[in-house]
Amino acid sequence: QVELVESGGGSVQPGGSLRLSCAASEYANNIHCMAWFRQPPGKDREGVAAISLAGGATHYDDSVKGRFTISQLSGKNTVSLQMNNLKPEDTAVYYCVAGPHSACLLSVGGSWYPRRFNYWGQGTQVTVSS
């Protein structure tokens, strides 16, 4: 059973930066898309960023464009999420997720379908507060 292991969460002041990392415990040939979701306190989970492992194409939610960068570590099922200029509204539990190619496809509304992702990490807390 593939596990996704996240690291890098923590607390930071507004305007600060954090880098999250996620690695699959073993190689899985059904992982072609990796992404990050988050769940703010009292709110539904939402997709933040995704990357296609085949071609490296990325996509971001409008709320993080220009501030967050998702990257793949070459040759491995490992991704990172560099988060700059963090805001209090970025406070959430962040989840690394992975799935087939179809998981990277956006809905008409411009978001991802959580159910398309087969694997979910345990989550890591990110808190942005002064």
Side-chain angles (χ1 to χ4, degrees):
Q1 177 70 19
V2 175
E3 294 184 356
L4 300 179
V5 181
E6 303 132 331
S7 61
S11 296
V12 66
Q13 293 185 341
S17 299
L18 283 174
R19 184 181 180 90
L20 306 181
S21 295
C22 172
S25 59
E26 60 187 74
Y27 173 76
N29 60 11
N30 61 342
I31 292 179
H32 300 286
C33 172
M34 295 187 74
W36 292 90
F37 276 68
R38 67 185 180 186
Q39 187 164 19
K43 297 184 179 181
D44 293 333
R45 61 187 174 183
E46 57 188 19
V48 175
I51 184 167
S52 171
L53 300 186
T58 58
H59 190 84
Y60 300 90
D61 183 78
D62 287 345
S63 64
V64 305
K65 278 182 180 177
R67 301 188 299 121
F68 290 13
T69 302
I70 186 170
S71 301
Q72 177 190 6
L73 182 65
S74 180
K76 300 181 181 180
N77 290 349
T78 303
V79 296
S80 64
L81 184 68
Q82 178 66 41
M83 304 184 293
N84 297 328
N85 189 23
L86 283 160
K87 304 176 181 181
E89 51 264 42
D90 294 319
T91 295
V93 177
Y94 284 71
Y95 297 91
C96 176
V97 299
H101 172 70
S102 60
C104 268
L105 300 178
L106 296 170
S107 69
V108 172
S111 61
W112 295 274
Y113 294 104
R115 293 184 178 181
R116 288 183 175 176
F117 292 93
N118 307 88
Y119 307 108
W120 288 70
Q122 293 293 320
T124 185
Q125 178 69 45
V126 171
T127 302
V128 185
S129 174
S130 56

